[in-house]
Amino acid sequence: MLEPRPHRAFLAATTTLLCGLASGQTAQQAAVLVTAQVSTSPPQITFTWPSDPTATGYTVSRRPAGTTTWGPASGVPGGSTATSWIDSVAVVGQRYEYLFVKAGNPQGKGFLTSGIDADAIEQRGKLVLLVDASVAGALATKLDRLTEDLVGDGWVVLRHDVQPTQSVPSVKALIVADVLADPGAVKAVFLLGHVPVPYSGSIYPDGHPDHQGAWAADVYYGDFNGTWTDSSVNITTATRPENRNVPGDGKFDQSSLPSDVDLQVGRVDLANMPSFGLADDVLLANYLDKDHDYRHKVFAVDQRGVIDDNFGYFTGEAFAATAWRAFSALLGPANSTSGDYFTTLNTTSGNGYAWSYGCGGGTYTSAGGIGSTSDFTTSTNRNVFTMLFGSYFGDWDSTDNFLRAPLCSGWTLADVWAGRPHWSFHPMGMGETIGACARLSQNDTTAGGYGARSVHIALMGDPTLRQHVIAPPASVAVVDAWPQASVTWDPSSDPVAGYHVYRAATPAGPFVRLSGAVVAGTAFTDPSPVLGYATYMVRAVRLETTPSGTYWNLSQGSFATTCLPQGAASHTSYGAGCYTIPPNISALQLGASPAPVSTPTAGTLLTYTIDNIPEAAPGSGVYLGVTIVSWTPDLAGTSLAFLDMPGCSLYVGSLDLTLAFVGNSASLTTQFQLPAGVACGTQFYATAAALFVPNSLPNGANGFGAVTSNGVASFVAPY
């Protein structure tokens, strides 16, 4: 069981600062500020870091990105004065993860995911979107837009609306069902709104005994192999009732992960934040607006970070080392500075900061030396990714919670409680999501820090967000050039290498790339389009150079849905019936109405009208025959002279459906139900035949006893 630190872990910020100063050591010294530069000829990665007088030597370990086992640690030549190391065996297109360890007092660690022109990540898997049903109606339009944005970044979205009062296991059952339906495909869970909150454990990672008990534990939704029980923990001393945990109360026993977290999990829950004076659905709508704007580069942030450290070295825990490590890999040491959190971010001009970090002695609604929840209600907060650390508020399911407050404010889209334990964000430097970093931080113990693999480690924010944003192309259009299709678009406003073009059967995807090489211009020809509906997606592409290496980056997708071949639903007559015998016999004539419209939800009842039907026998007053519907054309017509029907032709290539007509009029009708979901562009054909006594026509023509009409070609479309 996780044992808590003593209460001294969170003394007043001023006392802590004095302790840090007395030690002569800093949180920055607990980090190796490593960056990378790559070469393709020869393929190699050169890592560098500033000289550190506290170092006695360095080691480096490597593993393929996404794996869990480090290779052997190798000493870096140069010992205490080393400031660089070269990996000369890295393969172009691959991603690798590196761990640099500084020996000395203090010890330091640095992490980097790097690669040489690493491949673009086009398909990210399936995402389970769990939406608070109480706000789903108010957010309907914005949820549709969010789904399109997720699809446009390579996700397939599986959405479920859940009631805030549902049991936690019933919510997890929805995720489990999606995972089992397509093993290995589901990669992430996005909790939007006040989706039921799991609680677990008997922990107080902030060091306060009055806070011991079950903490909010979204890791439960991401773990599929561990056993979660509710039978042994019995703790009733916590001040906050939500933290009290007794057998059978629906809160779990586990304080540490029972097994690795399998899925990326992130939560945007802005309920119970009264300081902002807005209803939950309004706060969520505002969040979804800025989430969309960030993805589409409506606003842009500078690649820099600010660190407001009010704990310092703190007897070796060095909470802010999380930020120094991450910002070096993601932004570069020159773009990572110390400064006051709100003074720096509360600005009305400029591009703000990609990252920020703040720590100090805390309450549920504040952090010493940083500020309080009320400060976020007025701050412009020009910052996208943040980390905050201090007492109490890491248990985030509380009123006006300080960890959730940034999501209600300014540009901020993600926040974590980083320090116990340290978090690892370095994969974002090579195009990974913040959700992938959350999963890494929950499972991995290498970064260190008290509370590693504890159940409280959670991401507040959209788990699919990435750090490097490219302005997407716009105004995608598809022009019918059957049997080809021409796709055009307006260019990205950013410098890019070109574009990739994708196609799917529906806007929900999954999309398959059509373009082989990057398309340099703003047009692409699909040589083999599908008949019917298709959605085309275009994404800008560029080689992203970061302090971590280089990788092929993709913008959000821009879409156009079309029907091919294009055109309105219509009927067209072709050929001619037989016979026209003056003065009183006209050729058999076939017509059809209304237009053959078919959509995914509705079809059309078609009526065929047959005119000029001859009597079955002279003077009988009976008229009869068939309408023939075919999927195969015969536009030129096949002569039926061999059947002793001179002058008559058959205008269909097959007899797929016959509709009989009989009556006492020379004008009769038959009907055919065109179903819903017939692919637009589908064509079918019809003709009619009337029967009579052979040789009963004037002049004894037609020994077979039948006449045929013209043909009707029908073109199916959604309008």
Side-chain angles (χ1 to χ4, degrees):
M1 187 177 75
L2 178 65
E3 295 293 331
R5 289 288 196 189
H7 181 71
R8 74 173 188 276
F10 288 92
L11 298 173
T14 52
T15 304
T16 303
L17 284 169
L18 289 173
C19 292
L21 290 171
S23 72
Q25 296 163 317
T26 67
Q28 185 174 355
Q29 290 172 332
V32 180
L33 306 182
V34 60
T35 59
Q37 288 187 314
V38 306
S39 167
T40 57
S41 183
Q44 65 180 31
I45 307 174
T46 301
F47 299 89
T48 59
W49 55 91
S51 175
D52 187 339
T54 68
T56 59
Y58 294 89
T59 61
V60 59
S61 304
R62 189 183 85 163
R63 64 187 181 189
T67 62
T68 58
T69 302
W70 291 104
S74 301
V76 176
S80 63
T81 62
T83 57
S84 67
W85 179 76
I86 296 175
D87 184 352
S88 58
V89 296
V91 176
V92 174
Q94 301 298 310
R95 287 173 171 81
Y96 305 92
E97 194 175 357
Y98 298 85
L99 165 62
F100 291 85
V101 177
K102 178 192 74 171
N105 187 17
Q107 185 192 63
K109 294 179 181 178
F111 296 89
L112 208 71
T113 298
S114 189
I116 307 167
D117 299 359
D119 295 338
I121 304 174
E122 298 180 88
Q123 307 294 336
R124 295 189 178 269
K126 292 185 175 180
L127 173 139
V128 181
L129 176 61
L130 295 172
V131 179
D132 176 349
S134 68
V135 298
L139 299 176
T141 300
K142 296 182 189 294
L143 288 169
D144 289 344
R145 184 184 63 189
L146 172 65
T147 298
E148 181 177 86
D149 285 345
L150 293 169
V151 171
D153 199 25
W155 296 94
V156 173
V157 180
L158 308 173
R159 176 176 160 182
H160 305 283
D161 293 355
V162 300
Q163 297 294 336
T165 54
Q166 280 184 231
S167 71
V168 166
S170 73
V171 175
K172 185 169 182 178
L174 297 172
I175 306 171
V176 171
D178 286 336
V179 169
L180 294 178
D182 194 357
V186 176
K187 301 297 184 183
V189 176
F190 187 173
L191 310 167
L192 185 64
H194 197 54
V195 175
V197 180
Y199 275 80
S200 190
S202 178
I203 60 173
Y204 55 114
D206 58 358
H208 293 279
D210 67 330
H211 200 184
Q212 181 176 0
W215 279 36
D218 276 348
V219 290
Y220 169 76
Y221 286 135
D223 172 27
F224 288 92
N225 300 307
T227 299
W228 295 77
T229 60
D230 179 17
S231 58
S232 60
V233 170
N234 193 343
I235 181 78
T236 60
T237 56
T239 301
R240 185 168 170 259
E242 289 83 352
N243 300 124
R244 299 167 194 166
N245 191 359
V246 299
D249 62 355
K251 300 170 187 175
F252 300 107
D253 300 319
Q254 282 61 44
S255 295
S256 299
L257 294 177
S259 68
D260 282 353
V261 176
D262 301 292
L263 304 179
Q264 307 172 27
V265 181
R267 175 186 289 265
V268 178
D269 185 345
L270 306 182
N272 199 20
M273 301 293 286
S275 286
F276 290 88
L278 297 171
D280 301 4
D281 60 333
V282 177
L283 290 172
L284 288 169
N286 293 342
Y287 180 93
L288 292 175
D289 282 344
K290 64 183 176 181
D291 185 289
H292 174 78
D293 288 350
Y294 172 72
R295 292 172 176 274
H296 289 259
K297 213 168 185 180
V298 175
F299 66 88
V301 290
D302 289 334
Q303 297 299 308
R304 55 181 178 165
V306 61
I307 300 170
D308 190 352
D309 180 6
N310 294 286
F311 279 127
Y313 188 63
F314 206 85
T315 64
E317 289 198 72
F319 306 125
T322 284
W324 289 110
R325 294 170 185 171
F327 293 2
S328 175
L330 302 178
L331 309 169
N335 293 322
S336 310
T337 59
S338 297
D340 182 77
Y341 189 92
F342 278 107
T343 301
T344 303
L345 303 180
N346 185 19
T347 176
T348 57
S349 62
N351 288 342
Y353 287 70
W355 283 90
S356 63
Y357 180 93
C359 64
T363 69
Y364 285 109
T365 60
S366 68
I370 307 299
S372 66
T373 294
S374 61
D375 290 312
F376 282 110
T377 67
T378 57
S379 175
T380 56
N381 200 23
R382 292 192 172 215
N383 166 237
V384 174
F385 305 104
T386 194
M387 297 175 262
L388 294 170
F389 184 69
S391 293
Y392 294 104
F393 64 80
D395 183 16
W396 51 263
D397 186 27
S398 59
T399 302
D400 273 339
N401 179 268
F402 190 61
L403 192 68
R404 292 188 291 129
L407 274 60
C408 303
S409 170
W411 293 350
T412 303
L413 293 170
D415 189 11
V416 303
W417 198 65
R420 283 186 170 176
H422 293 295
W423 276 63
S424 294
F425 291 104
H426 52 279
M428 292 182 75
M430 292 293 288
E432 261 296 358
T433 65
I434 195 169
C437 297
R439 179 176 174 272
L440 171 62
S441 300
Q442 290 157 348
N443 291 334
D444 195 28
T445 59
T446 309
Y450 176 73
R453 292 183 65 85
S454 175
V455 295
H456 71 284
I457 307 169
L459 168 64
M460 302 293 103
D462 177 348
T464 70
L465 293 170
R466 300 185 287 118
Q467 182 171 333
H468 305 118
V469 178
I470 305 172
S475 303
V476 178
V478 182
V479 176
D480 182 14
W482 195 262
Q484 296 181 329
S486 177
V487 186
T488 61
W489 57 90
D490 290 341
S492 167
S493 59
D494 282 336
V496 296
Y499 304 87
H500 276 316
V501 181
Y502 305 78
R503 188 183 69 206
T506 72
F511 283 82
V512 175
R513 175 149 59 91
L514 302 177
S515 52
V518 172
V519 178
T522 57
F524 175 81
T525 297
D526 180 357
S528 302
V530 295
L531 177 69
Y533 286 102
T535 298
Y536 288 84
M537 177 175 70
V538 182
R539 303 181 74 177
V541 186
R542 77 175 174 208
L543 186 65
E544 200 77 53
T545 300
T546 80
S548 296
T550 57
Y551 74 97
W552 288 101
N553 190 16
L554 293 164
S555 74
Q556 283 285 142
S558 293
F559 302 90
T561 297
T562 191
C563 170
L564 295 171
Q566 294 171 353
S570 62
H571 299 292
T572 304
S573 177
Y574 60 96
C578 59
Y579 300 93
T580 299
I581 304 175
N584 59 353
I585 297 179
S586 299
L588 191 64
Q589 181 67 37
L590 179 67
S593 66
V597 172
S598 180
T599 70
T601 58
T604 301
L605 181 63
L606 302 179
T607 298
Y608 289 104
T609 301
I610 307 96
D611 291 318
N612 307 324
I613 307 170
E615 282 185 295
S620 67
V622 175
Y623 303 83
L624 59 88
V626 292
T627 303
I628 304 167
V629 179
S630 173
W631 300 108
T632 307
D634 186 353
L635 301 181
T638 298
S639 173
L640 298 177
F642 70 96
L643 291 177
D644 199 11
M645 295 170 59
C648 297
S649 296
L650 184 64
Y651 290 108
V652 293
S654 58
L655 307 181
D656 296 322
L657 176 66
T658 57
L659 307 168
F661 58 83
V662 62
N664 55 8
S665 168
S667 180
L668 298 174
T669 62
T670 56
Q671 290 187 314
F672 167 53
Q673 177 64 55
L674 178 69
V678 176
C680 62
T682 298
Q683 290 184 287
F684 58 96
Y685 308 86
T687 193
L691 304 178
F692 56 90
V693 175
N695 303 118
S696 63
L697 290 178
N699 304 318
N702 197 315
F704 184 79
V707 291
T708 56
S709 73
N710 59 292
V712 172
S714 300
F715 181 86
V716 180
Y719 62 94

